Amino acid sequence: MLSGILLFNQKGELLILRAFRQDMRPRLADVFRIQVISNAQIRSPILTLGSTTFSHIKSDNIYVVGVSKGNVNSALVFEFLYKLVSLGKSYFGRFDEEAVKSNFVMVYELLDEILDFGYPQNTETETLKMYITTEGAVKSEQRALEDSSKITMQATGALSWRRDNIKYRKNEAFVDVIEDVNLLVSATGTVLRADVNGSIEMRAYLTGTPECKFGLNDRLTLGETGADTTLNGNIGGNKASKAAAGSVTLEDVSLHQCVKLSNFTNDRTISFIPPDGSFQLMTYRATENVNLPFKVHAIVNEVGRSKVEFSIAIRANYGSKLFATNVVVKIPTPLNTATTTHRTSQGKAKYEPSENAIVWKIARFTGQSEFVLSAEAELSAMTNQKAWSRPPLSMQFSLLMFTSSGLLVRYLKVFEKSNYSSVKWVRYMTRAGSYEIRF
Amino acid sequence: MSAGQDSKLFTRGKVAELRLELNSSGGKKDKNFSSKKIALKKIVANMTMSNNDMVALFPDIVGVMGTQSLEIKKMCFLYLVNYARSKPEIALKALPILINDLEDSNPLMRALALRTLSYVHVKQYVEHTVQPLKALLKDSDPYVRKTAAFCVAKLYDHDRHLVEASDLIDRLNMMLRDENPTVVSSALASLMDIWERSESIKLTIDYANASKIVQILPDCSEWGQTYILEALTSYVPQDTSEAALLADRITPRLSHTNSAVVLTCIRVLLYLMNYIESEKTIASLCTKLSPPLVTLLSKGPEIQYLALRNALLILQRRPEVLRNDIRVFFCKYNDPIYVKATKLELIFMLASEKNIKEVLTELREYATEIDVHFVRKSVRAIGKLAIKIEPAAKLCIASLLELVATKVSYIVQEATVVIKNIFRKYPNQYESIISTLCENLDSLDEPEAKAAMIWVIGQYADRIENSEVLLEDFLDGWADETHDVQLALLTATVKLFIQRPSKGQDLVPKVLKWATEDTDNPDLRDRGYMYWRLLSSNPAAAKGIVMGEKPAITAESEKLDPATLEEMCLVVGTLATVYLKPVHTVFRSARARKLIDSPALQKERLPSWQAAQQAKLLTEQQMASGAPQQYTNGNANGGRNADALEEADALFASMGGQSGNDGFASSPTHGQHGEQSQMYIVNQGQGLGTMRPMTHADNGGGDDGDLLSF
């Protein structure tokens, strides 16, 4: 597995070097700096030189690098690097150069704990925070000595994500259903791709060891269940019949470590003992019956070589009681745009030369309404006339109380031996993932 | 002392000052040793900055190590692990402290000491760890036991003979019966690590064991689950129903959020399928593989990349997986280039007569993007689709012509190259496009594109009205051209002369003279003389040879060879799958994995077995017909280690380079290209200091993201 972990800043200065095997030599840090950081041609996150492989990700302004020898499990390496970053964020708020420099001893301490001989060990924040703390040293040491056996049970046990004796005066659970809707429409208006990446984020403030049961739409179908209709999922012609209200078809789901996967496979119930605090319960993907919040109609004409005319109409497809906020439409213009003029029926438009685009912002977009932008871009003359590549128009927005997939949370039950009552809150939000319209 | 303020300590320090600080008592008020801690932090920071002066502080560090503070101890241990190797004699002084800590009442302390002890690569350390380790493997605390389990693999790394002489591996084996799931998974990981490095160790897991470790899967951490799943490929099913049962029991893991668990689970399922007889079971397992693979595409770009590379692999072994999912591989505008390039390869593989329209719309879109390499690959893909899917050739060519109409230089050039290949696949068809090509002659400035265009002119000299004028234009620059272009010019001129003697008679002598007298390139000279001899001695034979019919090219060589494919499927999710190369060509010392024979193994369904059967059949037929093995096409060259995709690439590139390909043995320049692309994989056995060639010289520049160029 991993031979070592390296952290660099943007300039290639080494912030952390931890070796886990003998074959990890300090000079490998120089090799990475030369071959990757100062090499503009590198375009892959994986580089193998000889038998040494560098796998790197970037977090803010630092490089997080796993060094390995031999044919290691690459998924494990990257998942671990992601985990390291998220662990760093949960400890220090951020995981950038400043945070690492300010806490380098703690980073070393964490690394020593979460990797042994290069094999990832327990990486659950909850458990780690019991004995690797940012608090005063005396307290943590004493507590570590007293509770050490409890900690070790926790770190190796089946419930490593939750500690004992959690108490809340008010028991609450917050559920956020967040969907990123991705859309790609061709110039002729056909939908090339429409899918939803959703996640259910939970914040649980519950006493004791609560067993939670989670219920989604009554008619929840998973891509794989209907063996005969399975594979033609997104292209299949059975869309209309399935569009019945209240049903949702999820292509695939992946569930947090705490969810009992065998229960889910058997009867689709999501039962779990949640970690304390916030965590991501599940992520899912839907490709059928995607409700698109916005419909975009774009007409772009190149008039000769000196002018481009834009006429963009956007219609909100959701109920009139809802409204989207922070709607930003980015309309690309040719590279040699000199000036632009524009009129909008709502919101403000502005030409951003650095982005080569007209950016149209609408603070509040009420359901069922339609707004229009018309604009003209004057082009400056160019000596070598290259065809304009017409990159797609893109949108950003966030829309509360709406799910593109149609997913609904029907119930969340909490069972605990002391039988307390708990309050549950559910919130839905749909955001633009990559929402692109070609023209 | 509060955390989060240490960045100011991240400065270079002097040994003498740090020593003073470290040894100062800090006065009576300093109960928490905060001055010592600050000094230690500075030392650790300097260690990171490879300030090698710090090694002088070793004796002082050993002195402080006994301080009753866990924080100080941890920093001292870190220092020890770092410098013990360079000063083993001083490191020895710390040994008693660590040995003592192994008996601490605090399990965290015992584990920390053991972990540190086993990191130190000093003979005495290793020797002194063996005895206490035996006791700690049976420690009452599971945390200590799992640390001890990994410790065995660490000792094995230091001194394998010592470990083999002791009974540590047997004891580690016993731990597989531990009641704690984390201990079991750690012991398995440790055993696998030892197994990986030694041919002398065998790892056999029978059904009862496999069944037991699958049972504890849900109770393990995500990492533990991965270790257990990895170990499962060492289980050889003896009975096909056992394999099916086990496969069924691990499928819930496909819904796990950690992609290492998911991909490793896919690996095990693919492995077990080799031992499952029922085609129905296999089909139902296959349908379960698609959704999780696609879901990985919503992870970080690095995992996406890995998933896509593996999809390329899985698709070849089990084409029914992902069959209808082509849309999910369409590129997003902001995908990183390495993701885009791999998606493009997948789109190419999944393209069929049914979805070709959709695919072409998409590829045309990519061909107008900004990244030049990606654009070129897209254009190339359209051309290759024309060759791969015969009924769609017309559509593909129409798309290419649309792209040529953009007049963007690199698009035109790339299109010219692929159109040449289309002519080679469909000789004497689609000739109407020649005129479009001729309109863009001026924009060709790359040798590969020039050579391609010249080939077209030569091949169709009798149908291009002013072919001799066009050729003459190119000949004007003869002296400045690369050898590849010169070779193309030579052959094209000869072809022109053969087809239209009156037009070519002025040009041929001139070119033959240049090729034979004014060059120091042996290939050019040899070919020049050959043509000369041929034309002067027997013009009729010359026509038969130069303009003879050649076999049509195919796009079939995209695939990995069967044996490699089988091997790669056993290592799904590992680095080798990113490179799509046999493991031993990338990592020489890696232990080979093979499918182990058993009564349950479905031999006749293995790709390698099927290929062997086919080869056998072929030789039998040839024996029967009495003909020796005849024409071996360039791309049927399975002997080379380079993987098939790259081979195809080399083939295409060499086609561009070698203008006529008129049945002569390939020239050294051509061969060199093959070598070069092979070297590009990994520089084996060479020191790390040596750079690998960073640019793919023949293939249009440094597309490093994708080791398999399209």
Side-chain angles (χ1 to χ4, degrees), chain B residues 471-527:
Chain B
L471 214 50
E472 233 178 322
D473 278 351
F474 279 112
L475 285 169
D476 284 342
W478 170 273
D480 304 325
E481 298 294 356
T482 62
H483 293 311
D484 291 341
V485 179
Q486 289 177 340
L487 282 167
L489 277 169
L490 171 62
T491 306
T493 315
V494 173
K495 283 179 178 168
L496 168 74
F497 174 69
I498 288 174
Q499 293 175 81
R500 302 169 83 175
S502 60
K503 303 273 185 190
Q505 61 190 358
D506 297 336
L507 294 179
V508 167
K510 192 165 75 179
V511 174
L512 284 178
K513 194 168 176 325
W514 285 340
T516 52
E517 289 174 18
D518 297 350
T519 181
D520 47 9
N521 179 292
D523 297 316
L524 193 57
R525 206 164 43 211
D526 285 355
R527 200 187 294 181

Side-chain angles (χ1 to χ4, degrees), chain B residues 338-552:
Chain B
Y338 50 89
V339 169
K340 276 187 181 173
T342 311
K343 280 186 173 174
L344 189 60
E345 284 182 50
L346 268 168
I347 293 173
F348 176 75
M349 283 184 82
L350 288 168
S352 64
E353 206 182 330
K354 253 197 249 161
N355 56 25
I356 186 74
K357 274 199 181 141
E358 216 179 337
V359 168
L360 282 177
T361 322
E362 196 64 23
L363 292 180
R364 259 207 323 267
E365 197 69 36
Y366 301 161
T368 54
E369 280 198 20
I370 300 161
D371 189 289
V372 177
H373 298 306
F374 184 60
V375 168
R376 284 173 176 271
K377 277 167 192 277
S378 311
V379 176
R380 203 162 269 232
I382 298 177
K384 286 173 84 177
L385 281 176
I387 294 166
K388 179 185 160 190
I389 307 170
E390 285 204 45
K394 216 171 184 170
L395 274 174
C396 296
I397 291 169
S399 297
L400 283 173
L401 289 180
E402 267 177 53
L403 289 171
V404 169
T406 61
K407 307 263 183 203
V408 178
S409 153
Y410 51 85
I411 296 182
V412 174
Q413 311 218 35
E414 201 64 44
T416 310
V417 174
V418 293
I419 287 175
K420 185 198 87 170
N421 288 327
I422 293 175
F423 281 133
R424 298 184 57 200
K425 164 79 178 176
Y426 309 106
N428 304 322
Q429 294 177 55
Y430 308 112
E431 282 156 24
S432 56
I433 52 181
I434 295 177
S435 60
T436 320
L437 284 184
C438 289
E439 284 166 24
N440 295 294
L441 283 185
D442 296 337
S443 57
L444 304 182
D445 53 14
E446 291 162 20
E448 197 186 359
K450 273 190 187 176
M453 188 64 219
I454 293 165
W455 181 88
V456 172
I457 297 173
Q459 190 67 22
Y460 295 95
D462 55 341
R463 268 156 284 184
I464 301 173
E465 190 74 23
N466 54 345
S467 49
E468 82 283 2
V469 182
L470 296 176
L471 214 50
E472 233 178 322
D473 278 351
F474 279 112
L475 285 169
D476 284 342
W478 170 273
D480 304 325
E481 298 294 356
T482 62
H483 293 311
D484 291 341
V485 179
Q486 289 177 340
L487 282 167
L489 277 169
L490 171 62
T491 306
T493 315
V494 173
K495 283 179 178 168
L496 168 74
F497 174 69
I498 288 174
Q499 293 175 81
R500 302 169 83 175
S502 60
K503 303 273 185 190
Q505 61 190 358
D506 297 336
L507 294 179
V508 167
K510 192 165 75 179
V511 174
L512 284 178
K513 194 168 176 325
W514 285 340
T516 52
E517 289 174 18
D518 297 350
T519 181
D520 47 9
N521 179 292
D523 297 316
L524 193 57
R525 206 164 43 211
D526 285 355
R527 200 187 294 181
Y529 278 122
M530 255 181 278
Y531 281 137
W532 200 324
R533 200 70 41 90
L534 210 54
L535 290 171
S536 57
S537 57
N538 190 344
K543 182 166 189 177
I545 290 168
V546 177
M547 293 308 297
E549 227 172 88
K550 283 132 209 158

Side-chain angles (χ1 to χ4, degrees), chain A residues 111-413:
Chain A
L111 281 174
D112 189 53
E113 186 57 43
I114 58 179
L115 279 174
D116 192 2
F117 199 41
Y119 284 93
Q121 307 293 310
N122 172 42
T123 47
E124 295 294 340
T125 323
E126 276 304 301
T127 316
L128 289 170
K129 280 191 173 164
M130 289 169 74
Y131 59 108
I132 298 180
T133 54
T134 49
E135 299 158 27
V138 183
K139 196 180 158 208
S140 78
E141 269 167 45
Q142 235 151 34
R143 190 155 42 133
L145 281 164
E146 279 168 19
D147 303 344
S148 54
S149 66
K150 201 194 273 172
I151 292 169
T152 57
M153 288 311 289
Q154 173 87 30
T156 58
L159 269 179
S160 59
W161 57 85
R162 191 177 177 90
R163 54 193 160 83
D164 284 346
N165 300 325
I166 297 171
K167 281 199 182 69
Y168 287 100
R169 189 174 296 168
K170 193 175 173 191
N171 289 293
E172 285 182 299
F174 299 87
V175 178
D176 281 342
V177 178
I178 300 170
E179 298 199 336
D180 284 332
V181 53
N182 298 311
L183 173 74
L184 184 61
V185 178
S186 78
T188 52
T190 32
V191 175
L192 296 175
R193 216 179 84 118
D195 59 54
V196 172
N197 283 328
S199 67
I200 298 182
E201 313 278 342
M202 218 177 140
R203 277 170 296 150
Y205 306 110
L206 299 167
T207 304
T209 312
E211 167 112 34
C212 299
K213 267 203 173 133
F214 200 74
L216 298 173
N217 303 41
D218 292 341
R219 267 168 291 169
L220 169 70
T221 335
L222 265 185
E224 52 181 279
T225 45
D228 40 0
T229 58
T230 341
L231 282 170
N232 46 16
N234 44 358
I235 311 165
N238 47 0
K239 275 186 187 171
S241 61
K242 278 199 176 173
S247 80
V248 61
T249 308
L250 301 182
E251 204 67 11
D252 189 39
V253 302
S254 52
L255 299 157
H256 185 270
Q257 166 79 15
C258 68
V259 179
K260 291 169 185 152
L261 292 179
S262 43
N263 286 10
F264 182 73
T265 316
N266 292 340
D267 53 15
R268 298 270 169 262
T269 55
I270 300 173
S271 55
F272 56 98
I273 295 167
D276 191 39
S278 58
F279 66 102
Q280 187 175 59
L281 179 65
M282 77 183 245
T283 59
Y284 57 91
R285 195 165 51 81
T287 55
E288 272 187 63
N289 309 323
V290 176
N291 301 314
L292 299 170
F294 292 101
K295 198 167 159 54
V296 180
H297 190 65
I299 303 171
V300 178
N301 283 323
E302 291 176 63
V303 185
R305 287 189 167 185
S306 60
K307 200 163 83 174
V308 182
E309 291 173 352
F310 299 88
S311 165
I312 316 286
I314 299 179
R315 185 176 169 73
N317 260 342
Y318 42 85
S320 54
K321 282 180 185 155
L322 302 177
F323 59 91
T325 52
N326 299 324
V327 180
V328 180
V329 188
K330 202 186 271 180
I331 305 141
T333 55
L335 297 175
N336 55 336
T337 302
T339 55
T340 61
T341 53
H342 25 70
R343 275 191 320 280
T344 57
S345 61
Q346 181 83 3
K348 277 192 178 138
K350 198 180 163 198
Y351 172 59
E352 297 282 355
S354 59
E355 294 184 61
N356 282 310
I358 296 171
V359 178
W360 178 19
K361 290 183 182 166
I362 304 157
R364 189 185 160 107
F365 205 130
T366 318
Q368 300 300 326
S369 54
E370 178 168 327
F371 299 130
V372 193
L373 169 140
S374 50
E376 272 182 22
E378 300 281 345
L379 309 182
S380 57
M382 297 266 276
T383 39
N384 63 338
Q385 195 71 32
K386 264 192 192 170
W388 176 35
S389 68
R390 300 175 85 124
L393 176 155
S394 62
M395 269 189 92
Q396 277 162 20
F397 52 82
S398 53
L399 175 56
L400 286 175
M401 302 318 282
F402 177 90
T403 55
S404 270
S405 65
L407 182 118
L408 285 174
V409 178
R410 287 271 180 250
Y411 62 85
L412 171 63
K413 284 187 189 142

Side-chain angles (χ1 to χ4, degrees), chain A residues 43 48 108 113 119 156 252, chain B residues 48 143 182 193 295 371 579:
Chain A
R43 300 162 90 174
T48 302
Y108 274 122
E113 186 57 43
Y119 284 93
T156 58
D252 189 39
Chain B
T48 308
Y143 185 81
T182 305
D193 197 275
T295 297
D371 189 289
Y579 298 108

Side-chain angles (χ1 to χ4, degrees), chain A residues 1 14-18 20-22 25 27-28 35 39 41-53 56-57 68 70-76 78-80 82-83 98 101-105 108-109 112-113 115-117 119-121 123-124 131 134 137-138 141 144-145 148-149 151-153 155-158 182 184 191-193 197 224 231-232 234-235 251-257 261 265 285 387 389-392 434 436 438, chain B residues 3-7 10 32 37 41 44-45 48 69-71 74-75 78 81 85 106-108 112 115 119 121 141-143 146-147 150 153-154 157-158 180 182 189 193 197 219-223 225-227 230 252-253 255-260 263-264 267 288 291-292 294-295 298-303 305-306 324 327 332-333 337-338 362 365 368 371 373 571 573-576 578-579 583 586-587 682-683 688 691-692 694-695 704-705:
Chain A
M1 276 316 299
L14 193 59
L15 303 176
I16 295 286
L17 180 154
R18 176 69 160 104
F20 294 97
R21 291 182 180 225
Q22 302 168 58
R25 300 298 168 89
R27 72 190 167 94
L28 290 176
Q35 299 282 3
N39 184 345
Q41 291 200 327
I42 280 288
R43 300 162 90 174
S44 159
I46 301 173
L47 174 72
T48 302
L49 294 162
S51 59
T52 308
T53 304
H56 77 272
I57 61 171
S68 59
N71 191 28
V72 299
N73 190 331
S74 186
L76 191 74
F78 281 117
E79 282 287 347
F80 175 77
Y82 292 158
K83 195 66 155 204
E98 191 49 40
K101 272 191 166 173
S102 301
N103 300 284
F104 66 96
V105 175
Y108 274 122
E109 203 179 334
D112 189 53
E113 186 57 43
L115 279 174
D116 192 2
F117 199 41
Y119 284 93
Q121 307 293 310
T123 47
E124 295 294 340
Y131 59 108
T134 49
V138 183
E141 269 167 45
L145 281 164
S148 54
S149 66
I151 292 169
T152 57
M153 288 311 289
T156 58
N182 298 311
L184 184 61
V191 175
L192 296 175
R193 216 179 84 118
N197 283 328
E224 52 181 279
L231 282 170
N232 46 16
N234 44 358
I235 311 165
E251 204 67 11
D252 189 39
V253 302
S254 52
L255 299 157
H256 185 270
Q257 166 79 15
L261 292 179
T265 316
R285 195 165 51 81
S389 68
R390 300 175 85 124
S434 97
E436 295 178 343
R438 294 173 181 165
Chain B
Q5 304 293 318
D6 296 345
S7 59
F10 221 83
N32 296 336
K37 284 177 187 167
K41 284 184 178 179
V44 169
T48 308
S69 157
L70 196 60
E71 200 183 350
K74 281 184 174 175
M75 284 192 270
L78 187 65
V81 171
R85 223 170 172 178
N106 181 348
L108 286 171
L112 175 65
R115 206 159 60 213
Y119 276 129
H121 188 64
D141 193 287
Y143 185 81
K146 72 112 186 159
T147 310
F150 278 111
K154 279 163 143 176
D157 190 35
H158 290 304
N180 185 299
T182 305
D193 197 275
R197 276 176 289 144
D219 299 330
C220 290
S221 73
E222 48 203 314
W223 316 114
Q225 297 191 13
T226 313
Y227 306 147
E230 285 200 325
R253 298 298 120 200
S255 300
H256 202 285
T257 178
N258 186 313
S259 61
L263 272 174
T264 314
R267 181 200 302 175
K288 287 181 184 153
V294 175
T295 297
S298 54
K299 286 253 174 190
E302 294 85 8
I303 292 290
Y305 180 49
L306 185 68
N324 293 307
R327 279 173 193 228
K332 287 187 204 150
Y333 198 53
I337 187 69
Y338 50 89
E362 196 64 23
E365 197 69 36
T368 54
D371 189 289
H373 298 306
V571 293
T574 63
L575 288 169
V578 172
Y579 298 108
V583 180
V586 188
F587 302 102
V682 191
N683 257 1
L688 286 163
M691 301 261 225
R692 59 180 192 159
M694 271 301 170
T695 45
D704 283 73

